[in-house]
Amino acid sequence: MRNRLKVLRAERDWTQADLATAVDVSRQTINAIEKGKFDPSLPLAFKFSRLFDQTIEQIFFADDDE
Amino acid sequence: MRNRLKVLRAERDWTQADLATAVDVSRQTINAIEKGKFDPSLPLAFKFSRLFDQTIEQIFFADDDE
DNA sequence: CCTTTAAGTAAAGTGTGTTTGACATATAGT
DNA sequence: ACTATATGTCAAACACACTTTACTTAAAGG
C-alpha cells in the first residue's frame, strides 16, 4: 500500500510528530507507514480518514504487489 | 468496528467459506471478523471493498467504543 | 561551529491479525 | 436416525502493528 500522508502533512505544514499526536500513535509509527514499512490497522486508517476528511481510498491505495 | 459482511454475503447467497476463498483468507478469519472478534488488516479491507464494489466506509463503520 | 528541529532507523517488547487443525452445534434433506 | 453443510469456537503458532528508548543524519539559523 502506498499513501498520501506526507503530502497531506505538507499541505498543513505538520511534522510527523504532529500527525502522530493527532491520531494518537508514536512518531515512529507515522514514519514507518510513510516509508511503507507496514500498513496501518483499519482503525488507524479510519482515524486518518476522519482527520483529513477524505475517504480511506483517497489516502491509501494499492501499489504493485497486491 | 462493525461491518456488513454477513448481509453482503446473504445478498449473494455466499457461505463464510465462499467469501474466505474469494478474499484468500481462512474461514475462521471471516467468522471472527463478522463476529467482531477483530478488525481486518487494511489490505484485507481493500479486498472486501473491491470484491463488493463498495468503499471501505460503506462496508465497515465505527461502533461505540472508538 | 554549535544548537535545534525534523526525519530515519534499530532493538526489544506487547498485542492483534491470521493460520491450521480440531471439535461442537444447528439446520435441512433423506 | 443419519448425513451433509454452515456456523461457532478454541488452542497453538506465526506474522505484523505499534510502543519505548535510543542513536544517527540532515537542514537551517544563530
Side-chain angles (χ1 to χ4, degrees):
Chain A
M1 307 247 9
R2 293 275 170 123
N3 65 75
R4 296 180 47 248
L5 292 181
K6 186 172 183 172
V7 171
L8 292 167
R9 266 198 311 113
E11 288 173 351
R12 290 158 181 80
D13 199 22
W14 288 353
T15 66
Q16 291 181 346
D18 291 334
L19 178 53
T21 299
V23 296
D24 198 31
V25 295
S26 69
R27 178 181 68 82
Q28 288 82 342
T29 292
I30 299 296
N31 189 41
I33 293 169
E34 286 193 2
K35 301 297 283 183
K37 296 205 177 156
F38 51 72
D39 300 321
S41 67
L42 186 57
L44 181 51
F46 266 88
K47 282 191 181 181
F48 290 125
S49 174
R50 289 190 291 260
L51 178 63
F52 293 121
D53 198 30
Q54 299 191 16
T55 65
I56 291 176
E57 285 85 351
Q58 287 171 331
I59 302 176
F60 296 91
F61 39 93
D63 52 4
D64 305 340
D65 55 336
E66 64 173 283
Chain B
M1 306 245 9
R2 292 275 169 123
N3 66 74
R4 297 180 47 249
L5 292 182
K6 187 172 182 172
V7 171
L8 292 168
R9 265 197 314 113
E11 288 173 351
R12 290 158 181 80
D13 199 22
W14 288 353
T15 66
Q16 292 181 344
D18 291 334
L19 178 53
T21 299
V23 296
D24 198 30
V25 296
S26 70
R27 178 183 69 81
Q28 288 86 337
T29 292
I30 299 297
N31 188 35
I33 293 169
E34 285 193 3
K35 301 297 282 184
K37 297 206 175 157
F38 51 70
D39 300 320
S41 67
L42 186 56
L44 181 51
F46 266 89
K47 283 190 181 183
F48 290 126
S49 174
R50 289 191 293 260
L51 179 63
F52 293 122
D53 198 29
Q54 300 192 16
T55 65
I56 290 176
E57 285 86 351
Q58 287 171 332
I59 303 175
F60 296 91
F61 40 92
D63 51 4
D64 305 339
D65 56 335
E66 63 174 284

